[in-house]
């Protein structure tokens, strides 16, 4: 008698290989700015923080600037100096010793920044840059407190090329620092997303206008990073139509499938999709993308993070990422596997400060012992 039973669904706790990254499970720690890289360099507390969370199949670091002008917030780390590279080696070493896999997220914030922030770290009062000289609405946190966004400087052709080269150099620095790969941040209203947006990108040259032109910067950054370290160690994060950073994408439904089509030939390690804008695009992108898909998913209750695991079982994604849940649950994979309650983070301690609210969240107590 033949067996016509349905195949057993894949679970998020099973191993997977994406590109050159061999992962013990399909649960990903999403990138989260924590503003504890004082002087733009990683430190011992950061090594502890990431090593505590090495049970994740993949750790993606907080956004890390590829150049001084790419810094948007206080106390975020860089990967553009020898000192920064050396500082990161302690972090990657600690994660690897704990059995984890870690990639660096390269984040150029573009117009979401302020001269006061770069001045505070000795880089000079740098004017943020963008595809067009269009100021973002709202304000940004600086060492002097919240300040209104300033009008950014429009990148010229040579500066665009130099910025692409900065990403490639930072990717090489990431590998030199011991990272297993790099995620390029093309989401959440930062520089690559600004080039994709119809309101932030008002250029009339080959970098703006049509959707095909507006995806060019993202494509060329990813191509440069892949050429520098290997496509099998390169990922890209996108967030279609989520509106962050005062971005508008009038043609998201056609732009993102076009972007995915252009990237498919590179054979990247993964695409990381933030489902915070038009969730209807998720199945479209899933069908168009030929590689591994990490989904930062919307759930009925944002605190019910275990519901995200079902997206893997249903085949809607290959992996799922968690952000907030990882702040207060360093052993998140174990808690999800056991169906244990998740601790809630103290978000008043999410940004800046010391170890409190950073490395002092406990793991589950077992065998009657406190953890």
């Amino acid at each position: 008698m033949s067996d016509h039973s349905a195949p057993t669904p894949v679970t998020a706790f099973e191993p997977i290989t994406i590109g050159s990254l061999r992962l013990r499970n399909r649960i990903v720690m999403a990138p989260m700015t924590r503003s504890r890289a004082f002087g733009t360099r990683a430190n011992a507390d950061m090594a502890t923080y990431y090593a505590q969370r090495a049970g994740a199949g993949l750790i993606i670091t907080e956004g890390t600037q590829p150049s001084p002008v790419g810094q948007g917030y206080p106390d975020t780390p860089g990967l553009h100096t020898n000192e920064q590279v050396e500082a990161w080696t302690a972090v990657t070493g600690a994660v690897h010793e704990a059995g984890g896999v870690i990639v660096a997220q390269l984040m150029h914030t573009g117009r979401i920044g302020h001269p006061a922030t770069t001045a505070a770290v000795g880089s000079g009062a740098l004017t943020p840059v963008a595809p067009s000289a269009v100021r973002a609405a709202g304000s940004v946190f600086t060492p002097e407190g919240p300040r209104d966004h300033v009008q950014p400087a429009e990148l010229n052709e040579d500066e665009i090329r130099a910025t692409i080269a900065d990403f490639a150099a930072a990717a090489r620095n990431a590998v030199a620092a011991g990272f297993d790969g790099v995620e390029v941040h093309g989401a959440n209203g930062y520089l690559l997303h600004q080039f994709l947006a119809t309101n932030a990108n008002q250029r009339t040259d080959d970098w703006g206008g049509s959707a095909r032109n507006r995806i060019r910067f993202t494509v060329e950054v990813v191509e440069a990073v892949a050429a520098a370290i290997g496509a099998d160690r390169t990922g890209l994060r996108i967030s279609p139509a989520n509106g962050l950073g005062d971005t508008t994408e009038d043609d998201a439904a056609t732009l993102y499938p076009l972007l995915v089509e252009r990237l498919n030939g590179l054979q990247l390690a993964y695409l990381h999709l933030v489902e915070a804008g038009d969730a209807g695009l998720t199945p479209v992108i899933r069908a168009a993308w030929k590689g591994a898909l990490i989904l930062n998913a919307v759930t009925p209750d944002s605190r019910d993070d275990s519901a995200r695991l079902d997206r893997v079982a249903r085949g809607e994604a290959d992996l799922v990422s968690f952000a907030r849940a990882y702040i207060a649950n360093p052993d998140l994979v174990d808690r999800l596997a056991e169906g244990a309650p998740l601790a809630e983070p103290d978000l008043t301690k999410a940004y800046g400060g010391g170890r409190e609210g950073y490395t002092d969240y406990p793991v589950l107590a077992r065998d009657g012992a406190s953890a």
Side-chain angles (χ1 to χ4, degrees):
M1 176 181 284
S2 60
D3 183 3
H4 296 288
S5 61
T8 303
V10 171
T11 77
F13 302 102
E14 296 179 39
I16 187 172
T17 297
I18 56 174
S20 64
L21 308 177
R22 303 180 69 175
L23 313 180
R24 68 173 91 179
N25 58 62
R26 299 165 185 238
I27 296 170
V28 178
M29 178 178 170
M32 291 179 286
T33 293
R34 302 303 306 273
S35 292
R36 285 171 166 87
F38 310 115
T40 74
R41 292 186 295 275
N43 52 54
D45 284 346
M46 291 171 63
T48 299
Y49 167 74
Y50 284 114
Q52 287 173 339
R53 290 153 179 81
L58 176 65
I59 292 173
I60 306 170
T61 71
E62 60 212 274
T64 303
Q65 55 261 15
S67 64
V69 76
Q71 181 176 3
Y73 305 102
D75 299 322
T76 56
L79 264 169
H80 53 86
T81 71
N82 291 335
E83 292 78 14
Q84 290 165 346
V85 172
E86 179 63 27
W88 273 117
T89 61
V91 176
T92 59
V95 170
H96 291 152
E97 186 175 352
V101 178
I102 183 169
V103 300
Q105 188 194 65
L106 298 182
M107 179 178 81
H108 190 308
T109 59
R111 66 180 185 168
I112 307 301
H114 198 279
T117 298
T118 55
V121 294
S123 298
L126 302 178
T127 299
V129 298
S132 300
V134 178
R135 184 180 69 84
S139 63
V140 64
F141 192 81
T142 78
E144 301 171 358
R147 299 282 296 274
D148 287 344
H149 289 298
V150 300
Q151 180 173 308
E154 180 176 311
L155 291 163
N156 63 34
E157 176 84 18
D158 289 342
E159 291 166 339
I160 288 174
R161 294 292 182 195
T163 303
I164 293 170
D166 287 339
F167 273 93
R172 287 189 289 269
N173 285 341
V175 171
F179 283 104
D180 299 296
V182 159
E183 175 177 285
V184 176
H185 198 347
N188 295 354
Y190 299 126
L191 184 61
L192 275 66
H193 200 181
Q194 291 159 28
F195 269 89
L196 297 173
T198 46
N199 64 332
N201 184 349
Q202 299 183 2
R203 302 177 74 97
T204 57
D205 60 4
D206 291 342
W207 302 92
S210 68
R212 189 168 298 276
N213 285 353
R214 295 197 329 275
I215 68 171
R216 181 183 176 189
F217 183 70
T218 297
V219 169
E220 294 201 13
V221 168
V222 174
E223 286 177 336
V225 169
I229 65 170
D232 61 342
R233 295 197 284 188
T234 302
L236 171 68
R237 194 179 210 213
I238 58 173
S239 58
N242 74 351
L244 290 179
D246 186 27
T247 52
T248 299
E249 295 161 292
D250 298 322
D251 55 356
T254 56
L255 182 143
Y256 282 94
L258 179 63
L259 175 62
V260 168
E261 177 188 331
R262 284 290 307 276
L263 295 174
N264 266 328
L266 294 180
Q267 297 185 308
L268 301 178
Y270 67 84
L271 182 69
H272 190 180
L273 174 60
V274 181
E275 191 184 57
D278 183 356
L281 279 174
T282 298
V284 175
I285 291 172
R286 173 63 164 166
W289 177 242
K290 295 179 180 178
L293 181 70
I294 301 173
L295 183 61
N296 190 256
V298 169
T299 54
D301 181 339
S302 63
R303 294 169 296 179
D304 185 17
D305 289 293
S306 61
R308 296 187 180 191
L309 304 181
D310 297 335
R311 306 294 291 270
V312 173
R314 293 198 298 266
E316 297 170 14
D318 299 291
L319 309 94
V320 283
S321 66
F322 298 83
R324 173 175 155 152
Y326 258 116
I327 293 176
N329 299 277
D331 57 343
L332 180 63
V333 173
D334 290 341
R335 290 177 187 246
L336 292 173
E338 297 175 21
L342 301 186
E344 280 294 309
D346 181 351
L347 296 181
T348 66
K349 299 180 176 66
Y351 302 105
R355 297 174 183 174
E356 188 178 1
Y358 189 52
T359 61
D360 61 347
Y361 286 107
V363 298
L364 286 172
R366 291 182 172 85
D367 298 326
S370 61

